[in-house]
Amino acid sequence: MARANDEIEAILQEYADLIAITGGDAFRARSYEKAARAIGGYHADVATLDPKGLREIPNVGKSIADKIVEYLTSGQISAVEERRQSVPAGVRELITIPMLGPKKAMVLYEELGISNVDQLLDAVHEERLRDLKGFGEKTEANILHGIALMQKAGTRILLNAAMDAAEQIVAELSGIEGCRKCAYAGSLRRMRETIGDIDILVAADSSAPFMDALAALPHTAEVIAHGAKKTSVRTTKGLQIDLRVLPPDSWGAGLQYFTGAKAHNIRTREIAVRQGLKLSEYGLFDAETGERIVSSTEEEIYERIGLPWIPPTLREDRGEIAAALRGELPVPVAEDDIRGDLHTHTDLTDGLAPLEEMVAAAAARGYSYYAVTDHAPDLAMQRMTKEKMLAQRDRVRELDRTHKGMRLLHGTELNIGPDGDVDWPGDFLAGFDICVASIHSHFNQSREALTRRLVRACENPYVSVIGHPTTRRIGKRPPIDADFDAVFAACARTGTALEINAHPERLDLGDEDILRAKRHGVLFAIDSDAHSTTHLPYMRYGVGTAQRGWLTKDDIVNTWPLAKLRRFLSPRA
DNA sequence: GCCGTTTTCGGCCCGACTGTTTTCAGTCG
């Protein structure tokens, strides 16, 4: 079940946007933003809290606690409803365009009556923006670029949002009588970084109860198709969900067919055809007699056409079939292989939870080590100092060994400056157990400068991991334009690991870059970059991305035992 | 609207970049 926290976070964020757009007190808007973020990352479900409990959430006072109670009891907040009257929904959509904030959006609405992205596009093409105060030709070009970026992500949604929705539906349908099996398939099962629609499969003798249940789910806004074998709906958030109900003995064939990718399926069917067989979502058949040979499990189907079972995350027609035929299919890293998280934050910088809570949540995940890596001072907004860092280190040392079986590492996330320098000199860096170094600004340097910058960071003997290497944010910011082959070569040469940042909005490195980097012989670290206890489980998306990059546990330093990891982390001569 | 080893008012992360201006507003991280 999705937590009420997510809905409340969304509506408070909307309220903050509405305040900003209508020119309200900026600090008040920020208060709602901060509260929204704190609630989204809060460990407890707000629906279970009384008003007193609500006010224990950071940045939630009386006024916001009252609004949360109002929402939980009535499903809406009157103050938000009132503000919605004065700002069309499309104006709020405008501020999701990079480079367009609340002030410019309101000017566009008040001066030109623009209240959605299409109207904005028209106005840009008619060059009507450049006459507005504070706008110009460059602004028009930037807006076009921002819209293109948004539309490239299109209607696809982030992996975690799709996963939450799918798991909720699978749980609902699994509880219906007659359900023999239920699972999600499609690009979600392959852990693609964005998801266009969700494919749900059910094995049952009778389909009607499942079709009806899907159409009746609270988040279903529209039923696109409603049949005996397939039902498609669109949720209130615009996400399409396709449900297929299969005869139980076709389960394996259906799962294989609907997991794809398309190109992978075409190849498997070609192999079947060459053996006088026919493969469909109902089974593997003799092409001549039509007799069904196997159909109940994926393993049987792959085996019968001469292949080992291929993990879903590899089914992209990127050479997995040839590798399988040669017996060289990798055993992809699994979430169970991960022994610890090497990049996490606390409320000492921009995290939401105190050190103690983050550590306890990490221990509950069964990690055998856990690194705390708050931001260093060059990210000025975090106001870090040596003194604060050393005080945190003392606290980390005290907490070490208090959770059975888990050791703590004290680290930092350094900022890679425009020239490739990092926050502190070597003598201070030497005191950390681990240094992650990442780019956080100056994304538009030349390709040469960006490449040199990353290579210099790799060459710093104290830097063990390059964090979110391309700095992309899916649907929001493109990757930086560096010569990544040169960077990967530098990582391999210097023994610096590349991060696979597991945050669903980053997934950075992405699968294709991982494949390239691996050819250079690079090592990797899969990290949650958690800013809240609720982000620690994002690890699964990093693992999925690593699998898509064909990585095995040996490639990933945080699957290693602590002693081996420590040797890797120690400064290079 | 929230918060407090500076506590019931008066601050609120702070600096840089961009594109627009001709000294600055808006946006971002």
Side-chain angles (χ1 to χ4, degrees):
Chain A
M1 263 327 243
R3 302 193 311 161
N5 298 42
D6 299 331
E7 290 172 33
I8 306 235
E9 177 181 12
I11 196 165
L12 291 181
Q13 179 61 51
E14 178 185 352
Y15 193 50
D17 290 345
L18 292 173
I19 292 170
I21 291 169
T22 52
D25 177 12
F27 289 118
R28 213 171 131 243
R30 247 190 93 58
S31 285
Y32 281 100
E33 255 175 42
K34 287 194 313 199
R37 211 166 90 82
I39 290 161
Y42 199 59
H43 55 84
D45 185 338
V46 288
T48 66
L49 298 176
D50 60 11
K52 186 165 166 288
L54 289 173
R55 295 190 58 173
E56 282 172 14
I57 305 173
N59 304 309
V60 173
K62 176 164 184 352
S63 173
I64 292 179
D66 286 347
K67 289 186 173 72
I68 296 171
V69 171
E70 185 188 351
Y71 183 81
L72 291 173
T73 51
S74 75
Q76 58 177 23
I77 298 174
S78 51
V80 179
E81 298 299 321
E82 272 171 40
R83 291 262 176 178
R84 280 178 179 165
Q85 301 304 314
S86 54
V87 185
V91 176
R92 213 187 135 228
E93 189 191 345
L94 297 181
I95 71 173
T96 62
I97 300 168
M99 309 299 295
L100 248 197
K103 294 290 187 295
K104 281 194 158 67
M106 199 56 183
V107 169
L108 291 172
Y109 175 57
E110 291 190 322
E111 302 292 323
L112 299 177
I114 291 170
S115 62
N116 63 50
V117 174
D118 285 339
Q119 289 170 358
L120 178 58
L121 272 174
D122 288 343
V124 171
H125 287 128
E126 291 161 14
E127 302 183 349
R128 279 153 54 204
L129 262 51
R130 58 187 62 181
D131 300 328
L132 295 172
K133 187 172 165 57
F135 289 74
E137 287 185 39
K138 285 272 179 59
T139 317
E140 287 180 342
N142 281 338
I143 287 173
L144 278 186
H145 182 245
I147 293 174
L149 240 167
M150 271 194 358
Q151 292 181 339
K152 198 170 158 198
T155 53
R156 300 183 72 84
I157 63 168
L158 295 181
L159 183 53
N160 63 319
M163 188 65 85
D164 288 348
E167 289 186 333
Q168 190 175 344
I169 293 166
V170 167
E172 294 271 350
L173 299 183
S174 296
I176 291 173
E177 192 175 338
C179 180
R180 304 273 286 274
K181 283 192 171 111
C182 181
Y184 56 81
S187 54
L188 182 58
R189 187 167 178 236
R190 302 199 311 277
M191 287 271 196
R192 269 192 64 175
E193 60 195 33
T194 60
I195 305 296
D197 50 37
I198 294 178
D199 296 296
I200 306 277
L201 299 184
V202 164
D205 295 312
S206 162
S207 71
F210 302 95
M211 303 308 192
D212 295 343
L214 181 68
L217 283 180
H219 295 300
T220 294
E222 177 194 355
V223 177
I224 301 165
H226 192 198
K229 292 183 174 167
K230 176 181 169 182
T231 291
S232 297
V233 302
R234 205 180 315 279
T235 69
T236 48
K237 288 180 182 163
L239 180 62
Q240 182 170 329
I241 304 191
D242 295 333
L243 170 64
R244 297 280 301 224
V245 180
L246 304 158
D249 58 7
S250 292
W251 175 254
L255 199 54
Q256 200 278 332
Y257 183 89
F258 288 107
T259 297
K262 198 172 183 176
H264 172 90
N265 285 356
I266 290 171
R267 287 199 180 269
T268 51
R269 276 178 247 143
E270 281 172 356
I271 291 173
V273 168
R274 283 202 294 273
Q275 299 176 20
L277 303 168
K278 180 173 81 83
L279 181 59
S280 78
E281 64 263 54
Y282 296 105
L284 185 65
F285 301 88
D286 184 303
E288 278 189 18
T289 67
E291 181 197 358
R292 175 150 68 185
I293 300 167
V294 286
S295 61
S296 58
T297 69
E298 284 190 333
E299 285 82 354
E300 289 174 336
I301 288 164
Y302 280 110
E303 186 186 1
R304 185 60 186 73
I305 59 173
L307 294 171
W309 180 79
I310 298 176
T313 44
L314 300 185
R315 300 183 198 171
E316 293 285 349
D317 190 26
R318 289 172 175 164
E320 71 277 8
I321 301 217
L325 287 168
R326 290 195 309 267
E328 293 172 5
L329 212 52
V331 177
V333 60
E335 199 175 358
D336 282 350
D337 296 327
I338 301 293
R339 294 187 195 230
D341 202 328
L342 300 181
H343 178 180
T344 70
H345 297 271
T346 75
D347 63 1
L348 183 61
T349 55
D350 56 352
L352 291 163
L355 174 66
E356 290 75 9
E357 283 180 22
M358 294 299 289
V359 168
R365 291 180 57 78
Y367 286 148
S368 47
Y369 44 80
Y370 181 74
V372 178
T373 58
D374 271 313
H375 289 288
D378 285 358
L379 219 56
M381 61 183 185
Q382 309 297 353
R383 295 175 138 188
M384 181 51 73
T385 61
K386 280 189 178 180
E387 293 70 29
K388 283 160 99 175
M389 208 37 126
L390 292 174
Q392 184 188 56
R393 183 174 303 159
D394 289 342
R395 190 66 196 123
V396 167
R397 300 299 182 229
E398 284 168 25
L399 279 174
D400 193 15
R401 295 182 191 272
T402 56
H403 290 279
K404 200 167 178 239
M406 188 174 85
R407 298 298 308 273
L408 293 177
L409 302 176
H410 188 239
T412 182
E413 183 185 9
L414 300 165
N415 180 60
I416 304 175
D419 298 321
D421 295 327
V422 297
D423 307 63
W424 281 305
D427 60 347
F428 192 72
L429 297 182
F432 287 103
D433 299 320
I434 175 170
C435 293
V436 178
S438 324
I439 287 180
H440 299 99
S441 62
H442 301 83
F443 305 118
N444 294 323
Q445 286 179 315
S446 71
R447 187 175 168 87
E448 294 69 30
L450 283 164
T451 307
R452 192 168 54 243
R453 192 175 168 192
L454 283 164
V455 169
R456 276 203 65 205
C458 292
E459 288 169 345
N460 185 316
Y462 297 96
V463 170
S464 302
V465 179
I466 301 295
H468 45 73
T470 79
T471 77
R472 73 161 177 178
R473 290 174 63 208
I474 296 170
K476 292 195 173 157
R477 186 170 64 209
I480 53 171
D481 177 29
D483 176 356
F484 275 99
D485 280 311
V487 175
F488 298 156
C491 284
R493 172 169 55 81
T494 60
T496 310
L498 285 159
E499 181 173 79
I500 298 169
N501 189 296
H503 194 293
E505 198 178 65
R506 289 193 184 269
L507 295 177
D508 182 11
L509 292 177
D511 52 9
E512 292 186 7
D513 284 332
I514 294 169
L515 286 164
R516 267 168 71 198
K518 179 167 171 148
R519 281 196 284 275
H520 288 272
V522 178
L523 290 165
F524 300 84
I526 308 177
D527 298 327
S528 72
D529 194 2
H531 285 65
S532 148
T533 54
T534 60
H535 297 167
L536 291 171
Y538 286 163
M539 184 61 81
R540 65 189 295 198
Y541 304 118
V543 170
T545 300
Q547 291 178 345
R548 292 177 60 80
W550 289 46
L551 298 189
T552 66
K553 60 185 283 193
D554 294 340
D555 296 315
I556 294 156
V557 299
N558 51 323
T559 67
W560 296 354
L562 181 58
K564 185 176 176 187
L565 176 68
R566 279 195 190 277
R567 283 195 294 278
F568 171 76
L569 295 176
S570 62
R572 305 175 293 265

